[in-house]
Amino acid sequence: MRGDWKRGCDAPTGAKGLAMEEHPRSPNGEAPLAGPAVEIVGLHKWYGEFHVLRDINLQVARGERIVICGPSGGGKSTLLRCINRLEDWQQGHIVVDGIELTDDPKQILAVRRDVGMVFQQFNLFPHLTVMENCTLAPIWVRHMPKKAAEELAMTYLKRVKIPEQALKYPARLSGGQQQRVAIARALCMNPHIMLFDEPTSALDPEMVKEVLDTMVELAADGITMLVVSHEMGFARQVADRMIFMDDGQIVEINAPKGFFDHPQHERTKLFLQQVLR
Amino acid sequence: MAAASEFRSAYVREVPAERLAPPPTRAGLVGWLRANLFSSPTNIALTLACALLIVWVAPPLLRFLLIDAVWSGADREACLASPENPDPGACWAFVRVWYSYFIYGFYPIAERWRVDVFFAALAFGIAWLLWPSAPRRAMSVVYFVIVLPVLSVVLLYGFPLIGLVAVSTSLWGGVLVTVVVAIIGIVASLPIGIVLALGRRSSLPAVRLLSVVFIEFVRGVPLITVLFMASVMLPLFVPERLEPDKLVRALIGVAMFASAYMAEVIRSGMAAIPRGQYEAAQALSLTYWRMMALVILPQALRVTLPNIVNTFIALFKDTTLVFVVGIFDFLRTIEAARGDPKWITPTTAATGYAFAALFYFVCCYGMSRYARRLEARLRRADRR
């Protein structure tokens, strides 16, 4: 099994390669760095005695879209949260965008500047308007002038199709709208990499689509995406690679076609049978 | 099967149900009384009990405070029983005569305008800070934290260079001292409390330990003890030449005490903020201080606003304890004045305390009302 795991990924398709060259989001104007977007080597994590992540090895190429699925409690979210250091780990290395994540707060902040995250529970700031939610980090972290930050926010709010809600407070928006604002908020930092932690799990069924549509559009732009999700339709449509995690380990990595049509590992087969009924 | 079809198992609406205005509630005074005061046997019993309580308490109180009260007079004779007024009520004449002492203490009469200017400057600052649509409201914080303290020291303590004679704090008294102590306590406790609360939740063990020790120690002893310690022990720590003024020592004690309480109030507010808020702020690469200042504290302070005001109100009344270190606050001036032989009557003490109660009630009720309005406004803002 182990030998079959792809370390890193195959060269992305030509179209995607192009998109990467025209990568619009270089926050400081520097050319996109060479090398993988995310590199995880020999990662182990324990919660007390409990071994939540076991020997995780993964390389994510720039522009690659990865969907991580698996039963709950399998360590998917924990792995995702390690990538921007919301979770600490005890063994192994993670390099994000060429920056090694160490205990050095400067490194951590640098990685977080480059990595946007969207949470299951949206986590918008309730005391700020939609616009203020989007401009907070550009103003205070990127030191953008307020005006420029608002223009930037407006561009992204238009892209997620809710510019008219800019002056409202999050509590007035539907779940789907809130999640789209959360996506716009993350995009306002011009991240190279986007992490999605079950972005549609807290949504009513009729709102799942509007969020997934936004994410599909985003994927077409060539941004690196790591998505923890059970939306198999979305995965089939967007993913370059599927990752199946169970019991703290990566059990199977495969292109979506192979993953859905010919799952290799018993555990994957069982899981897919239940999800794709 | 045939029988079942007689019941309508399917239904399709053909005419949309109209949107109607709500039915008129039982209007009028009688309707209101019925709904609110006499809706159930328990409610009726409670209504009657409250009415009885009012009938029992209100008339004697009104008689004492207003109807039979003595409003003017030169000395105690006016407030003693006489044929015209066999059972005299409150001796307001006493309060009128001692009024300026209650406000200024022994502050020199010629210099009392300075206290008035201070009160005016303070009232201006409070109005500016608390009035929601005041112009340049952010500047009012600067006014409160920098301009007002400097102005107060210059005005009240004196600054001989510009012709303001020094007035020793031992001459200060009355409302002046109460207001100074309360304002210093309130203004100091909020920032110090925030720092202590952050310290207590810090991930650095040394910082956490220091904060916990300070908070638990100061909170674990009565204010009187803190005041005594500030008064007696503080001079042991500083060189004799720099020995702080008696009032300053009490101010430090009060500020410490209030800060420890405030720290716990704010900490509870921060604990109420969901973890996701911290994580979202961190994911946006905000530093610790920016996360706290921009995301966590604004929400935490809003959640705890009622508790913060509650602490302010308690502090305002606790300032009366500074008398134990020999400072003449408002209540102490009343205590002193009621011993004046010229005004010894059976009602003098009660009148003085009634006056004090009125003063504290007006101040605290004002704070409480303002907090209620602020809460309502913040809640409206959230729903925009």
Side-chain angles (χ1 to χ4, degrees), chain B residues 126 130 178 182-183 186 305-306 308-317 319 359-375:
Chain B
I126 291 176
L130 301 189
T178 294
I183 291 287
I186 286 170
L305 190 71
I308 291 176
V309 174
N310 199 22
T311 310
F312 284 168
I313 289 174
L315 172 68
F316 186 75
K317 291 177 295 175
T319 57
F359 169 78
Y360 285 106
F361 176 76
V362 166
C363 291
C364 295
Y365 189 66
M367 283 193 249
S368 151
R369 289 305 302 182
Y370 179 78
R372 289 281 294 277
R373 277 190 41 203
L374 193 60
E375 271 171 65

Side-chain angles (χ1 to χ4, degrees), chain B residues 239-377:
Chain B
E240 215 167 302
R241 192 169 46 82
L242 285 176
E243 186 169 310
D245 180 284
K246 190 164 73 177
L247 182 64
V248 173
R249 278 180 260 163
L251 287 177
I252 292 173
V254 167
M256 274 170 52
F257 190 75
S259 304
Y261 271 89
M262 194 54 73
E264 282 303 279
V265 167
I266 291 167
R267 186 178 70 92
S268 72
M270 292 192 340
I273 305 301
R275 241 175 78 112
Q277 293 290 311
Y278 291 86
E279 289 177 351
Q282 286 168 350
L284 287 169
S285 192
L286 291 175
T287 57
Y288 172 82
W289 291 106
R290 288 199 178 129
M291 169 175 78
M292 286 302 170
L294 299 170
V295 177
I296 305 303
L297 283 173
Q299 296 184 59
L301 292 180
R302 191 173 295 195
V303 173
T304 47
L305 190 71
N307 292 335
I308 291 176
V309 174
N310 199 22
T311 310
F312 284 168
I313 289 174
L315 172 68
F316 186 75
K317 291 177 295 175
D318 279 352
T319 57
T320 51
L321 286 175
V322 294
F323 85 89
V324 298
V325 289
I327 292 167
F328 274 63
D329 78 308
F330 174 57
L331 193 63
R332 186 76 189 92
T333 55
I334 287 180
E335 293 251 291
R338 79 181 170 89
D340 176 12
K342 223 178 131 193
W343 282 98
I344 288 180
T345 70
T347 57
T348 304
T351 307
Y353 288 128
F355 183 60
L358 193 69
F359 169 78
Y360 285 106
F361 176 76
V362 166
C363 291
C364 295
Y365 189 66
M367 283 193 249
S368 151
R369 289 305 302 182
Y370 179 78
R372 289 281 294 277
R373 277 190 41 203
L374 193 60
E375 271 171 65
R377 215 182 67 231

Side-chain angles (χ1 to χ4, degrees), chain A residues 81 84 86 109 112-113 115 119 123-127 136-137 140-141 169 171-172 185 189, chain B residues 275-277 279-287 290 294-295 298-299 302 381-384:
Chain A
R81 291 155 56 84
N84 66 353
L86 285 184
L109 288 175
R112 286 176 181 166
R113 273 198 296 274
V115 178
F119 298 85
N123 293 347
L124 294 178
F125 305 132
H127 62 301
L136 185 78
W140 291 96
V141 178
Y169 283 81
R172 287 292 298 272
R185 176 174 73 176
M189 285 293 282
Chain B
R275 241 175 78 112
Q277 293 290 311
E279 289 177 351
Q282 286 168 350
L284 287 169
S285 192
L286 291 175
T287 57
R290 288 199 178 129
L294 299 170
V295 177
Q299 296 184 59
R302 191 173 295 195
D382 283 348
R383 270 194 254 119
R384 235 179 312 176

Side-chain angles (χ1 to χ4, degrees), chain B residues 101-176:
Chain B
Y101 174 67
F102 294 156
I103 291 183
Y104 305 101
F106 290 113
Y107 211 88
I109 292 171
E111 305 293 331
R112 283 182 184 175
W113 63 270
R114 282 154 54 176
V115 179
D116 295 334
V117 173
F118 162 74
F119 283 144
L122 180 68
F124 170 73
I126 291 176
W128 192 7
L129 187 72
L130 301 189
W131 182 32
S133 49
R136 297 185 164 274
R137 205 158 155 233
M139 289 298 292
S140 68
V141 177
V142 178
Y143 176 82
F144 239 91
V145 177
I146 298 167
V147 180
L148 194 61
V150 174
L151 186 74
S152 310
V153 170
V154 170
L155 267 177
L156 297 176
Y157 194 71
F159 199 69
L161 272 184
I162 55 167
L164 293 174
V165 193
V167 179
S168 160
T169 56
S170 58
L171 298 176
W172 301 16
V175 172
L176 170 63

Side-chain angles (χ1 to χ4, degrees), chain A residues 79-92:
Chain A
L79 174 60
L80 203 67
R81 291 155 56 84
C82 284
I83 295 173
N84 66 353
R85 199 56 195 265
L86 285 184
E87 297 282 350
D88 201 358
W89 56 87
Q90 285 78 38
Q91 203 179 312

Side-chain angles (χ1 to χ4, degrees), chain A residues 92-145:
Chain A
H93 302 275
I94 298 184
V95 180
V96 180
D97 224 11
I99 306 163
E100 161 129 39
L101 273 169
T102 58
D103 285 334
D104 181 358
K106 276 202 187 118
Q107 305 275 87
I108 296 176
L109 288 175
V111 165
R112 286 176 181 166
R113 273 198 296 274
D114 277 356
V115 178
M117 183 152 193
V118 174
F119 298 85
Q120 182 176 355
Q121 299 294 344
F122 331 133
N123 293 347
L124 294 178
F125 305 132
H127 62 301
L128 301 177
T129 62
V130 164
M131 177 58 90
E132 288 163 342
N133 263 280
C134 290
T135 56
L136 185 78
I139 289 174
W140 291 96
V141 178
R142 293 252 189 252
H143 305 294
M144 229 183 240

